[in-house]
Amino acid sequence: HLTVNKMGRFDTSIVACHAYTWKGRTHSTSGIYYDTLVGATSDGCDSTYILSLTVADTVKIYDTLTACDSYRWNLSGKTYEATGDYDTVYLARAHEICDTHYYLHLTINDSAVNGVFDTTVCDSLTWDGKHYTESGFYYHPYQTIHGCDSTLRLHLTVNKMGRFDTSIVAC
């Protein structure tokens, strides 16, 4: 007459961020881990515990951007006006395991100061490839060497040259 008692077997699958502590030990790598409790069943048989562990790392995303004057980074909700390195953490949601760290290397280029030129000329002026013969305000949009928009403004005063016509009949 033979009585066969079954060993206890307990399987657990875990997905963890960075590390997982199981049976008093911290595991930081994915793998299958075993633990045995001698005589743990009611029949005195050993029990085997099996852990199937998947360890995920924090997601790191790096981005490099260049902007004119300022940049609003939607991930942080902030507007940056200086060149620098910035970071923010995007917290894990329901189906994500680990938080995501975003790193931004930002270069801010300034738009050129919008210049105003006051100029007085006689009769006409050629500026930006255009010929002007009337007084007034004229604008010239351009981009800086970094591609930032800027505008030059010309306040032009045109003085007409005097013209004196004389008709003479002489012998």
Side-chain angles (χ1 to χ4, degrees), residues 47-66:
S47 291
T48 302
Y49 294 86
I50 301 171
L51 172 66
S52 177
L53 178 63
T54 302
V55 176
D57 286 328
T58 298
V59 177
K60 295 178 182 179
I61 298 175
Y62 297 88
D63 202 1
T64 300
L65 292 173
T66 301

Side-chain angles (χ1 to χ4, degrees), residues 13-56:
S13 291
I14 297 287
V15 178
C17 191
H18 303 297
Y20 183 73
T21 301
W22 182 66
K23 303 286 184 186
R25 291 188 181 136
T26 300
H27 303 281
S28 58
T29 57
S30 298
I32 296 177
Y33 299 94
Y34 300 91
D35 190 32
T36 302
L37 288 175
V38 178
T41 68
S42 61
D43 299 324
C45 294
D46 296 344
S47 291
T48 302
Y49 294 86
I50 301 171
L51 172 66
S52 177
L53 178 63
T54 302
V55 176

